[in-house]
Amino acid sequence: MNIIPKPSKCTKKEGSFSITENTIIQTSTMSLEMQKLLLPFVDKIYKLSHIKIPIKEYSEICTNVINIDFIQTGLGKEGYKLEISSSNITIKAEALNGVFYCIQTIFQLLPIEIFGEKFINKPLVLQCCEIIDNPCFIWRGMHLDVSRHFFNVKFIKKYIDYLAMHKMNIFHWHLTDDNGWRIEIKKYPKLTEIGAWRASRDGIGWRDCKPQQPGEKTIYGGYYTQQEIKKIVQYANDRFITIIPEIEMPGHTLEVLAAYPELGCTGGPYTVATGTYWPNKDIFCAGNEEVFVFLKNVLNEVLELFPGKYIHIGGDEVNKEEWKKCSKCLTRMQKENLQNVEELQSWFIKRIGKYLHSKNRKLIGWDEILEGGLAPNAAVMSWQGEKGGIQAAKIGHDVVMSPGTHCYFDHYQDDPETEPKAIGGYTTLKKVYSYEPIPKELTKRQAKHILGAQANVWTEWMETPEHIEYMIFPRITALAEVLWSTIDNKNWEDFKERLQKFLNVYRIIGINYHKSVFEEQ
Ligand code: ACM
Ligand code: ZN
C-alpha cells in the first residue's frame, strides 16, 4: 500500500473493489458541505473514466456502494476509518475534515492516472484494505513568501492543491516585506499603488541589487485584490486549509515606508527594496501614534478577509538603531518606563497582541518576539533553531516549529555545485524526514504546546513557479509524513520506497521536482 503520508494503521486484505457504472455514494449526512466536498471526487472520476457516481442519502444496505458514515470514531475531526471490501467502501469520520483526508487516501489507492487529465483506459480497481488514520500534529504547514517575488492567483491555488494532497492544513502567506506589499487595503491605496512595485533588477544576484535610482521606474511587482483574496481563502477552506496571513512589523517594512514615509522614524524618503540591504534599519516608528492607527486599520481589513484564529505579525530581524536616535521613540520609552529598545519592541508587539485579542484572534510571530518579554497569549514560530520554541513552550505558550536546520526549503537540498543558486544552507530530503517537532527537553505537558511545524519558502532566489516546485518537491512529502504519521510509523527506507512510486504522481501532475539522488540508481 503506497500511501503518503503513511497512515496510522493499514492492513491489506484479499480481493479488490471496482468502481463501475453501478457504484453509488451513500451518505448519512447529506449537507451542502458534504456535496461540495464530494463533487471534486465525483467530477474527477467522471472526467477520467466517464463513470458518473450518484450521491444519495443513506437508505439501505446494498452492494457496490461507497458509504460515508458520520460517527464517533475517537480519531478526532481530522481522522477517518476506511474499509475497502470487494462489495463496498466504507468511510467513517467525525467531521468533514476526516472525509476529505479519506478521499485523498482513496485517490492514492486508485490507478495513478487519476492524478492526470487523460482518460483512464483501465478499470478503477482498489485493493481491499482497512485503514485507521489520524494526524499527529494539528499544525501541518507550508509558508510562501510572495513579497521577494510575486506569484499569481493561479499558482497560489496550485500551491494550495499541493498542500491538500499531502494532508497539510496551514498555508502561511507571507504577504508583506521590504520588496513588495501584496494585499489590497482599501483605506491605504498607496500600499499597492507604490508599495507593490519595485525597480527591476532582472539577472542581478539578490545581494548585489542596488537601490532604486532617482527617476527610475518601478515596474516589477503585483498584488492580490481583496476579491481575489476572498476567493483564495474560500478555495483553501474547501480543502480544509486555513490561511495565516503575515503582516510584517515593526521591521521588514520598507515597502510600507516607501508609500507612507511619515510612518518611519526619519521620514524618508524611502524606496521599495530591489534586493536585501543589510542592516535592515528602516522600520515603523514605535513612538508615533499614527503607526498604530495605521496598523489597526490595516489589520481590520485583514481580519475581514482571513477568518482563521491566528494572525502572523512577523517581528523578525528588526534593527532598532533608528529607535535609539528618534525623539518620538525615546519619549515613548520614557513614558512607558522601558529600559531598552528590546523592551520597546516587546511593548509594540504586546500592543498589537492586545488589539488582536480584543478581536478574538491570536497573535503569532517569529521567535524574536520573545526578546524583551512575550505578549500574553502570543504563539511563537521558532525559526532560529528550536530554542525559542522550547523557551516559549516552557512558559506555557503555543509554538510552531520551523527551524532553519530542517524546515527551510529555500536551502540547498543537494550539492550546491550542481544546484541552482539558493540562499545557502544544506537541507536534504533525509534531513527533513529525520525531523521530530517535539524537542526532547520538554515534559509531556510542555510538549502539548508544540502545535506542529511548517516549512518556509523564502523566494529571494526563486523567481518562477517552476523554481518553487523544484525547491519544495520532494521535501514537502517528507515534511507531510513528519507531521501526519506517528514516530513508530516513520522509516526512511520504507518512505524512500513509497516516494519512488509517488514520484510518478508528480510526473503525471507535471510538477517540476528535484530529481533526488536515489531516483537515478
Ligand atoms: C526569517 O527567516 N527571517 C523568519
Ligand atoms: Zn521613532
Side-chain angles (χ1 to χ4, degrees):
M1 310 291 287
N2 197 55
I3 303 163
I4 291 183
K6 195 174 172 96
S8 313
K9 252 198 205 127
C10 177
T11 319
K12 206 166 156 176
K13 297 272 160 96
E14 283 295 311
S16 61
F17 177 92
S18 295
I19 295 178
T20 66
E21 266 79 18
N22 301 320
T23 305
I24 61 163
I25 294 177
Q26 273 197 155
T27 165
S28 58
T29 326
M30 186 64 130
S31 61
L32 214 61
E33 286 81 12
M34 177 67 91
Q35 289 185 57
K36 206 167 152 190
L37 189 163
L38 293 172
L39 268 179
F41 175 72
V42 168
D43 282 352
K44 187 85 184 167
I45 299 281
Y46 180 68
K47 208 168 130 199
L48 273 69
S49 70
H50 302 167
I51 292 173
K52 197 165 178 101
I53 310 177
I55 306 171
K56 297 183 174 170
E57 189 126 25
Y58 185 84
S59 59
E60 54 179 337
I61 299 170
C62 47
T63 56
N64 207 353
V65 175
I66 302 173
N67 282 307
I68 301 171
D69 275 349
F70 254 13
I71 54 160
Q72 285 302 312
T73 58
L75 295 168
K77 71 172 190 178
E78 296 189 299
Y80 66 89
K81 286 185 185 173
L82 170 65
E83 276 173 50
I84 304 180
S85 73
S86 53
S87 54
N88 286 320
I89 292 181
T90 307
I91 298 170
K92 293 181 179 143
E94 289 180 10
L96 290 166
N97 311 57
V99 177
F100 181 77
Y101 293 131
C102 189
I103 286 173
Q104 303 316 304
T105 297
I106 291 174
F107 276 132
Q108 291 193 28
L109 294 172
L110 280 163
I112 198 159
E113 291 83 355
I114 197 77
F115 288 96
E117 299 292 327
K118 293 196 197 106
F119 181 74
I120 304 177
N121 202 9
K122 55 172 144 174
L124 297 179
V125 177
L126 296 109
Q127 169 74 44
C128 289
C129 63
E130 220 177 285
I131 292 176
I132 299 173
D133 201 11
N134 65 337
C136 264
F137 292 99
I138 58 167
W139 190 295
R140 305 182 302 278
M142 286 292 291
H143 150 288
L144 183 66
D145 164 13
V146 293
S147 175
R148 272 52 182 266
H149 288 99
F150 178 68
F151 300 93
N152 66 19
V153 171
K154 189 171 163 219
F155 181 68
I156 298 300
K157 286 185 172 170
K158 220 179 197 186
Y159 198 79
I160 288 168
D161 286 339
Y162 294 155
L163 268 63
M165 71 183 259
H166 287 88
K167 302 190 173 89
M168 294 184 121
N169 64 354
I170 299 281
F171 172 37
H172 172 173
W173 205 1
H174 187 77
L175 284 163
T176 74
D177 212 307
D178 301 312
N179 303 97
W181 181 276
R182 306 292 179 215
I183 165 174
E184 179 192 20
I185 299 293
K186 307 261 191 211
K187 206 165 180 115
Y188 298 101
K190 282 195 278 184
L191 284 172
T192 42
E193 283 164 18
I194 296 171
W197 305 94
R198 62 175 162 88
S200 172
R201 293 288 178 270
D202 226 7
I204 298 173
W206 190 257
R207 292 271 159 78
D208 303 322
C209 295
K210 61 175 193 294
Q212 182 185 324
Q213 300 298 294
E216 193 178 5
K217 290 229 161 26
T218 56
I219 54 169
Y220 180 87
Y223 64 92
Y224 312 100
T225 64
Q226 293 202 352
Q227 206 50 38
E228 286 171 332
I229 287 177
K230 276 181 201 156
K231 284 192 182 144
I232 288 169
V233 168
Q234 185 61 50
Y235 189 87
N237 190 55
D238 291 346
R239 287 152 185 78
F240 299 88
I241 289 169
T242 303
I243 303 187
I244 315 292
E246 180 177 353
I247 306 296
E248 279 267 22
M249 63 187 83
H252 282 288
T253 48
L254 194 48
E255 87 293 18
V256 178
L257 303 187
Y260 297 97
E262 63 276 18
L263 303 178
C265 289
T266 64
Y270 309 97
T271 56
V272 179
T274 59
T276 291
Y277 322 139
W278 227 248
N280 198 348
K281 61 188 178 49
D282 294 314
I283 63 176
F284 285 131
C285 175
N288 182 352
E289 273 310 292
E290 287 294 313
V291 166
F292 295 92
V293 173
F294 169 84
L295 286 173
K296 282 180 188 179
N297 284 334
V298 167
L299 286 172
N300 286 345
E301 293 191 33
V302 170
L303 297 180
E304 276 293 311
L305 293 167
F306 296 96
K309 183 95 181 152
Y310 288 93
I311 302 294
H312 202 300
I313 54 74
D316 60 323
E317 300 175 319
V318 183
N319 180 295
K320 307 171 189 80
E321 287 310 305
E322 293 297 343
W323 283 0
K324 292 179 187 166
K325 294 186 264 176
C326 168
S327 63
K328 285 183 192 148
C329 285
L330 293 169
T331 306
R332 174 82 74 198
M333 283 167 71
Q334 212 169 28
K335 214 171 114 207
E336 300 292 338
N337 198 22
L338 305 167
Q339 303 308 311
N340 50 46
V341 285
E342 283 69 39
E343 288 188 15
L344 181 56
Q345 163 147 337
S346 166
W347 173 87
F348 190 118
I349 303 290
K350 280 177 185 158
R351 187 164 172 184
I352 298 296
K354 211 180 276 174
Y355 186 67
L356 290 175
H357 193 65
S358 77
K359 300 283 181 187
N360 202 24
R361 302 297 183 98
K362 207 167 162 174
L363 179 148
I364 184 165
W366 301 109
D367 54 45
E368 287 94 330
I369 66 171
L370 282 151
E371 294 164 16
L374 194 53
N377 303 307
V380 170
M381 197 167 264
S382 194
W383 73 281
Q384 302 176 101
E386 292 188 313
K387 60 183 189 308
I390 292 169
Q391 193 187 334
K394 281 188 172 171
I395 53 172
H397 287 251
D398 286 343
V399 169
V400 175
M401 285 298 186
S402 197
T405 49
H406 294 79
C407 295
Y408 268 50
F409 287 4
D410 55 343
H411 286 182
Y412 284 107
Q413 56 195 316
D414 212 332
D415 184 355
E417 290 284 327
T418 58
E419 287 297 295
K421 173 85 184 131
I423 203 161
Y426 187 60
T427 307
T428 61
L429 176 67
K430 191 171 182 179
K431 188 151 191 197
V432 176
Y433 194 76
S434 75
Y435 188 54
E436 289 174 18
I438 307 233
K440 303 257 179 297
E441 43 273 82
L442 295 184
T443 64
K444 250 198 164 112
R445 212 166 126 199
Q446 290 163 348
K448 286 208 187 319
H449 288 293
I450 310 295
L451 304 180
Q454 68 176 42
N456 296 334
V457 184
W458 304 102
T459 58
E460 284 94 339
W461 296 93
M462 299 174 216
E463 297 184 15
T464 62
E466 292 72 29
H467 197 163
I468 289 180
E469 290 180 358
Y470 183 83
M471 297 305 280
I472 70 170
F473 289 99
R475 290 187 286 192
I476 184 176
T477 309
L479 183 68
E481 191 145 312
V482 164
L483 293 169
W484 182 279
S485 308
T486 56
I487 289 186
D488 298 345
N489 259 334
K490 263 178 67 185
N491 179 308
W492 168 246
E493 292 303 325
D494 172 62
F495 170 74
K496 258 192 344 188
E497 225 167 273
R498 279 178 290 123
L499 177 59
Q500 296 233 32
K501 293 182 197 141
F502 203 64
L503 294 180
N504 291 321
V505 173
Y506 295 177
R507 286 191 203 104
I508 285 178
I509 296 176
I511 289 168
N512 179 40
Y513 63 98
H514 175 257
K515 313 282 183 292
S516 26
V517 186
F518 65 83
E519 199 203 356
E520 270 89 50
Q521 289 168 1

